[in-house]
Amino acid sequence: MEKELIINSTPTEVEIALLEDSKLVELHYQKTNTNFTVGDIFLGRIKKLMPGLNAAFVDIGHKKDAFLHYTDLGPKLRTLLKFTQESIDGKLKTHRLESFTFEPDIIKTGKIDQVLSKRQPILVQVLKEPISTKGPRLSCELTIPGRYLVLTPFQNTIAVSKKIGNAEERNRLRLLVESIRPKNFGLIVRTAAEGKKVADLHEELSMMMNKWQQIYSQLINNTPPLKLLSELDKASSILRDLLTDSFNKIVVNDKELYENVKTFMASIAPEQVKIVNHHRSKKPIFDVFGVTRQIKSSFGKTATMGSGAYLVIESTEAMHVIDVNSGHKMTSGDQAEAVLAVNLESAEEIARQLRLRDIGGIIIIDFIDMRVSDHRKELLKAMRDHMRKDRAQHTILPLSKFGLMQITRQRVRPEVKINTAEICPTCTGTGKVNPTILLTDEIERDLEFILQSRPNSKLKLHVHPYIEAYLKKGLPNSQMRWYMKHYKWIKVFSDNDYHLSQYTFFDSNDDEIRLN
C-alpha cells in the first residue's frame, strides 16, 4: 500500500491529509495559535471537587476548566502528588526516581474528595480535546511517547505491543528493554520497535528521560497553571505515530515547515529523509494531489461509492447513524450476492469515513438486509479487516437480528465537519442572476478602471475554470485582445473555489485589488 502525507500550511492553520493508494483516509487540522493539544503535560490546580460525579475540575489555563475523573487518576496518584509538591518546594534534588519513596496505591473504588483537596497542585496530561460543550479531559497516568517506546513514570512494568505477533521478537524486545529501563519507570514497546537494535531504543529512551528532566526542572518554585511539556506539532506527531516503510512521499508547501519535517525525519528515520519534498508550484498543494476534490465528495450528509450505492450519515449528540442504500445501479441476477457486494463495498467506505471524519462514540450501521448467515459473517470479517488500519480504539459487534451493526470508537478530538454544500453567493437564494453574457463586459470595465488608476501594474485575474477556458478560447482570444488594446498581458488563473460569475484582480505582490 502506498502512503502519502500532504501538508498544507497557511498563516492560521496547518492542514494534513493522509492518502492511502491516492485515497484520502485522514484529515487533520491544527490552528497555529492553539494553546494545547492531546498529550501536553500541565501543572494544574484543583478548582472544584464534585463528589457526585466522583471527579474534579482542574485549572490548566484553558477558558474551560478541565475534567479529571477518579478512574483517570491512576493507582500511583499519591506518589505523583508527593513528587509534584516536593519538586515545587525544591526538596527533591533529582528527576530520577531510584531513591524516591513511593506512597501506597489508591483503591479503584475510592472517592475523589478522599484523595484530592481544593487548590492542590497536580501534574496532569491532556487525554481528550474539548468536545462540544465539554472542556479538556485529563489523566494523571503520565506518558512520554517516542517512536519506538513510551515512557511511563512511577511504574515498574514492561508492555509489548500486541501487533508484534512473533513470540521470539516479543521476548527479545522485553529482555532488551528490561536491560535499559531506569528504576521506577515503566516502558511500553511500540510496533515500530520490531527488529530494532538496543542502541536505537537506548538513544530514544535518553531523549524521553531528558523530557522528564525538563518537566522536573520547570516544577521547581513554580505555580499552576503552567504548561510543562508540549506534544509535537501535528505533522511531527503524525509522522512519529504513523511512519512506516510503506510511506512513499511527504509533500510540504511551506519552506520553514519543510525544513522542520526534514529535521524531525532525520532524527527518527534518516534513511527516509529523501521522501520529504517541498511543493514549489503556485497551484494549491491540495488541488495538485486531488485532496480538495476528495474533501468535497467525501463530506456532507451523503457519500457516494463507485457502484452507485451510497451512505447517508446522520449525527446526534448521543450517536451516529449510517444507512446503506443500494441506489439504482444494483446489478441484477442473484439478489443475495448483489446485496453482499453492496454491503462489502459499503463496509470499506464506512471504515474510511470513520477515520476521515474522526467519528467517535456509538455508531449504528443499517446495512441492507441479508438472510444468508455466511454472508453476515463475511460482512463482519470484512468490517473488522478494514478497521484494523484505524489507530483509534474500537469495538465491532456482529449484526443484530434487525440487521444493525454497532461500533464504538474512541473519541479523542471533535468530529471533523466540513460543509460541502455551497449557497449561491450570486443569487443569495432568489434563483436569478445577472445576465452571464455581460460578465466579460464587467471584467473589461474593471480592467480599464484599474489600468487608468495604476498604469504600471502587472495584473493577474482569477476566475472560475469555465470562465478561464472561455477567456483563453480561440485566436485571437480575450487575453490577446486586451493586450492589443492596453499593451498589457493579463495573466488569467482558474480557481475551483470561485462561483461562476466571481472574478478578482491581483497585483504583482498577489494582493487583491478591491474595486468597492
Side-chain angles (χ1 to χ4, degrees), residues 106-281:
I106 65 171
I107 59 172
K108 287 183 179 179
T109 54
K111 298 296 180 186
I112 196 85
D113 51 0
Q114 294 171 347
V115 293
L116 292 177
S117 54
K118 201 173 175 184
R119 300 195 58 76
Q120 184 175 15
I122 186 168
L123 211 53
V124 290
Q125 187 165 28
V126 177
L127 197 62
K128 291 184 180 180
E129 288 183 9
I131 296 172
S132 185
T133 57
K134 302 168 186 172
R137 182 158 183 171
L138 304 177
S139 171
C140 290
E141 295 187 277
L142 306 183
T143 59
I144 300 175
R147 190 181 177 210
Y148 308 127
L149 302 170
V150 178
L151 184 70
T152 56
F154 313 111
Q155 304 287 336
N156 275 300
T157 56
I158 292 173
V160 181
S161 168
K162 292 178 183 175
K163 291 183 180 177
I164 300 175
N166 187 300
E168 285 185 15
E169 178 63 10
R170 291 174 67 86
N171 289 333
R172 183 188 77 88
L173 287 169
R174 195 181 292 277
L175 288 170
L176 282 184
V177 168
E178 183 58 62
S179 68
I180 60 174
R181 180 182 67 85
K183 188 179 177 184
N184 291 331
F185 285 91
L187 286 170
I188 300 168
V189 182
R190 304 184 75 166
T191 313
E194 191 169 4
K196 297 300 175 186
K197 297 178 181 176
V198 68
D200 298 324
L201 304 180
H202 191 269
E203 183 183 359
E204 185 170 86
L205 179 59
S206 300
M207 289 168 59
M208 292 190 290
M209 286 300 292
N210 287 339
K211 289 183 180 180
W212 178 248
Q213 185 175 9
Q214 290 171 28
I215 291 171
Y216 159 77
S217 303
Q218 291 178 83
L219 282 173
I220 299 170
N221 298 325
N222 249 319
T223 54
L226 178 70
K227 183 190 278 192
L228 302 173
L229 182 71
S230 277
E231 178 58 292
L232 297 166
D233 64 75
K234 187 79 81 175
S236 299
S237 64
I238 288 173
L239 283 173
R240 181 195 65 202
D241 295 342
L242 283 182
L243 187 67
T244 61
D245 295 337
S246 62
F247 260 90
N248 304 82
K249 192 183 290 182
I250 299 168
V251 190
V252 191
N253 69 335
D254 180 75
K255 179 70 175 172
E256 185 180 345
L257 187 57
Y258 163 72
E259 295 295 344
N260 291 345
V261 170
K262 262 186 94 171
T263 305
F264 181 72
M265 285 286 287
S267 67
I268 65 165
E271 71 283 358
Q272 287 185 277
V273 171
K274 61 182 180 293
I275 68 173
V276 184
N277 299 298
H278 182 214
H279 178 76
R280 293 184 174 87
S281 168

Side-chain angles (χ1 to χ4, degrees), residues 287 292-293 296 422 463-465 494-499:
D287 287 358
T292 304
R293 179 179 291 276
K296 296 278 188 186
E422 298 176 358
V463 292
H464 186 277
S494 65
D495 194 317
N496 291 326
D497 290 331
Y498 278 35
H499 61 78

Side-chain angles (χ1 to χ4, degrees), residues 78 84 313 332 361 440 451 460 505:
R78 290 194 180 99
T84 306
I313 303 171
S332 56
T440 52
L451 290 175
K460 301 171 188 174
F505 284 98

Side-chain angles (χ1 to χ4, degrees), residues 300-356:
K301 182 178 173 180
T302 305
T304 306
M305 294 166 280
S307 67
Y310 61 95
L311 309 174
V312 178
I313 303 171
E314 299 270 13
S315 297
T316 69
E317 185 69 23
M319 66 174 67
H320 305 270
V321 183
I322 302 174
D323 185 33
V324 176
N325 292 278
S326 62
H328 60 279
K329 294 183 180 177
M330 190 160 80
T331 54
S332 56
D334 187 339
Q335 188 176 358
E337 290 294 335
V339 167
L340 175 64
V342 170
N343 281 341
L344 290 176
E345 183 187 20
S346 301
E348 182 178 3
E349 180 63 18
I350 288 167
R352 184 179 85 98
Q353 287 286 341
L354 297 185
R355 286 175 72 188
L356 183 57

